[in-house]
Amino acid sequence: MPAPPQSRPSTGTAAAGTASAARPRPAFPPALLTVLAVVLTGGLLFGYDQGVISGALAGIQARFGLDPLLTEVVTSWVTLGALLGALLAGDLADRLGRRRAILLAGALFVAGAALQALAPLALVLIAGRLVIGLGVGIAAVAAPLYAAELAPAALRGRFVSAYQLAITAGIFAAYLVDGVLPGANGWRAMLGAAAVPGALLLAAALAAPESPRWLMKAGRRADAQAALGRIAPDAPAAPQLDAIAATLGEESRRATWAEVFGHQWRRPLAVGLGLAIFQQVTGINAVIYYADQIFAAAGFATEAAQAAATTWAIGGTNVLATFIAILFIDRLGRRALLLAGLAGMGASLIVVGIAFRFALPASDLGAPPEAGGVAGIVTLAGLVCFIASFAFSLGPVVWTVINEIFPGRVRGRAVAVATAANWAAAFVVSQTFLSLADALGDSATFWLFAMFCGVGWVWVYFSVPETKGRSLEQIEAAWRETQTA
Ligand code: BGC
């Protein structure tokens, strides 16, 4: 494969990056705001759908009389849909265009939300979970890809961090909505409310420009020029379009699946997949999804007390600690954050396990014990440390590295594969958490997650390269060097 031209921008709007070096551009043309709005609403929806089920489960269980297995199905089939959606998303975004793929995701969100809110049967509810999951998966691949292609090079890192921040804000919003909509039928409004950000995503994507890179790929130079004029009005379009055309020359032969999984890119694929999987098997979504049940088991006796702990301790900490990553990801680097975060997560989980083991011997997830004062406080503190450690490390860093680690030719498909692996792992965790807690006991389940933190720490230490401050071309070149070394 020929070496990339020196000036080649890392992703689509690299061209915009080239031009920006030549002359300063107004900070934020309005069209770029619509791009940011797409990224933010995409993340918001992802997060809302992750978070909302925690407070809705009790009402759903009561309405449909679900056993633990069906409860897990209702919880986790969004994730199954997201896994399928992520796998389809790469090709959809290539065929339909980034913007239309995102519009499709928005439409699926609205349809899935309506199905869930109106479900007369558990089966319809599960179908709605699957439909909304498809939307989540498509948006989870297409929105960051779109952001990466349209953001000016200098703002790209912040756009990806903004995406994770929006995910955490979505989870927080879901917890708040769960808190203000109690009652037997509150769950319908909780799940139906996802239609609001879904409609916002549709509106934002309708107003936003298509990716000039995709338009060039589709042979629509005039449209590409118009789109470029909107996101970078001050930069002359022709050289940028030529730069895009040059990179397309090299990338036009889209990598086959065999190449994505081939020997040549085995190491970046292992890094992407490993990060995607460790992000989930260390337990984040067991906590995000089942927070209310965990707090109930830890002695938070009333629904209001459980909801408050979930909203503020889990949801609020998740948002706030993400700012730590935004501040430090480009200064301390990805590795430092990952290693510190995994250590913090592991230690916190050990403490939570101890609280359940020794202070709450009779507890069982979902079956509240007598109010367990000290154990409740220790569990709360442990989970706050766990969430904070995740939010400044694995949360944002994993998505950042997944979007920067792959060489241009395989990036689209490889990112889709890593994202799908992330959802697959999330599916396994959310589908088995209650059963695991049942079979192994609560403490051992938390300790199992802690063990994965330990294994993850060692793996990150030896396998994940530092990508801070390097251009995507330098990262790609480094992979090539390791092959020839
Ligand atoms: C993960 C989600 C998780 C969320 C929590 C994301 O980075 O991919 O699975 O629910 O962070 O903030």
Side-chain angles (χ1 to χ4, degrees), residues 46 50 164 167-168 171 279-280 284-285 288 318 390 395 399 422:
F46 178 147
Q50 293 279 86
Q164 172 69 19
I167 294 178
T168 62
I171 295 173
Q279 193 201 47
Q280 296 299 327
I284 182 63
N285 284 316
I288 298 281
N318 197 16
F390 174 89
W399 293 120
N422 180 270

Side-chain angles (χ1 to χ4, degrees), residues 287 291-292 294-300 304-317 348-349 351-353 355-356 360 372-388 446:
V287 174
D292 281 8
I294 296 174
F295 285 125
F300 287 72
Q306 293 154 21
T310 298
T311 305
W312 299 106
I314 305 294
T317 305
S348 315
L349 286 168
V351 170
V352 174
F356 270 81
L360 290 169
V374 174
I377 306 275
V378 174
T379 303
L380 184 67
L383 289 184
V384 166
C385 290
F386 172 78
I387 286 288
F446 289 118

Side-chain angles (χ1 to χ4, degrees), residues 43 46 50 82 86 136-137 139-141 144-145 148 156-157 159-165 167-168 272 275-277 279-280 284-285 322 329 334 338 390 393-406 414-424 426 467:
F46 178 147
Q50 293 279 86
V136 173
V141 172
L145 181 68
R156 190 161 44 235
F159 268 53
V160 180
S161 302
Y163 174 67
Q164 172 69 19
L165 191 65
I167 294 178
T168 62
L275 285 174
I277 291 169
Q279 193 201 47
Q280 296 299 327
I284 182 63
N285 284 316
T322 306
I329 189 166
R334 283 66 164 148
L338 284 173
F390 174 89
S393 66
L394 258 68
V397 177
V398 164
W399 293 120
T400 303
V401 176
I402 282 177
N403 278 285
E404 64 189 6
I405 201 83
F406 295 111
V415 167
V417 168
T419 307
N422 180 270
W423 287 105
T467 47

